């Protein structure tokens, strides 16, 4: 039985760093239209590095998005508290104004 290294559809591992590197042809004849070994290997390494860099940045991006959401929530809560305080002060001012009117009316009547 022949040991299969892995295929494109069923790789031996999904970890790009543990995958077997691409090897160049041993003979001088290459299939028609094939890329050079340097280009293939370099491209694979570059794509692996980009993929791992992107994967490493995902948690940072998630954390940043989470913090932005929390900041929006905090700002909304702060605005709501300011609105409640402003309404409370407005009611207090209206009560003081009514007392002042009553006091003025009482002073005028006597």
């Amino acid at each position: 039985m022949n040991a299969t290294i892995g295929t494109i559809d069923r790789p031996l591992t999904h970890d790009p760093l543990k995958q077997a590197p691409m090897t160049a042809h041993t003979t001088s004849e290459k299939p028609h239209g094939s890329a050079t070994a340097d280009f293939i290997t370099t491209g694979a390494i570059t794509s692996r590095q980009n993929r791992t860099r992107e994967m490493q940045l995902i948690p940072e991006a998630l954390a940043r998005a989470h913090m932005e959401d929390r900041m929006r929530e905090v700002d909304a809560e702060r605005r709501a508290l300011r609105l409640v305080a402003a309404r409370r002060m407005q009611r207090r001012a209206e009560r003081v104004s009514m007392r002042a009117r009553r006091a003025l009316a009482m002073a005028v009547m006597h």
Side-chain angles (χ1 to χ4, degrees):
M1 185 172 216
N2 190 357
T4 307
I5 294 174
T7 63
I8 292 174
D9 294 330
R10 297 182 192 283
L12 202 59
T13 177
H14 289 286
D15 185 1
L17 296 176
K18 292 181 182 173
Q19 289 175 2
M22 301 184 80
T23 57
H25 291 283
T26 54
T27 62
S28 61
E29 293 181 19
K30 293 183 180 181
H32 181 69
S34 67
T36 61
D38 291 340
F39 178 77
I40 293 170
T41 309
T42 305
I45 290 169
T46 304
S47 69
R48 281 185 201 148
Q49 286 174 345
N50 286 340
R51 201 174 327 139
T52 55
R53 192 173 300 124
E54 288 170 12
M55 297 286 277
Q56 287 171 351
L57 294 178
I58 287 173
E60 187 178 326
L62 286 172
R64 190 177 294 116
H66 179 70
M67 286 302 296
E68 287 174 4
D69 288 345
R70 289 289 298 134
M71 290 300 286
R72 264 188 247 115
E73 288 174 15
V74 168
D75 285 343
E77 191 174 333
R78 201 175 290 141
R79 273 186 258 124
L81 288 173
R82 271 196 233 127
L83 182 63
V84 167
R87 285 182 179 161
R88 192 180 305 128
M89 287 189 286
Q90 183 180 4
R91 285 194 299 268
R92 188 180 299 159
E94 287 172 358
R95 283 194 302 268
V96 169
S97 174
M98 289 300 288
R99 275 192 222 124
R101 280 187 194 165
R102 278 192 216 119
L104 183 62
M106 296 292 273
V108 169
M109 290 174 73
H110 285 87

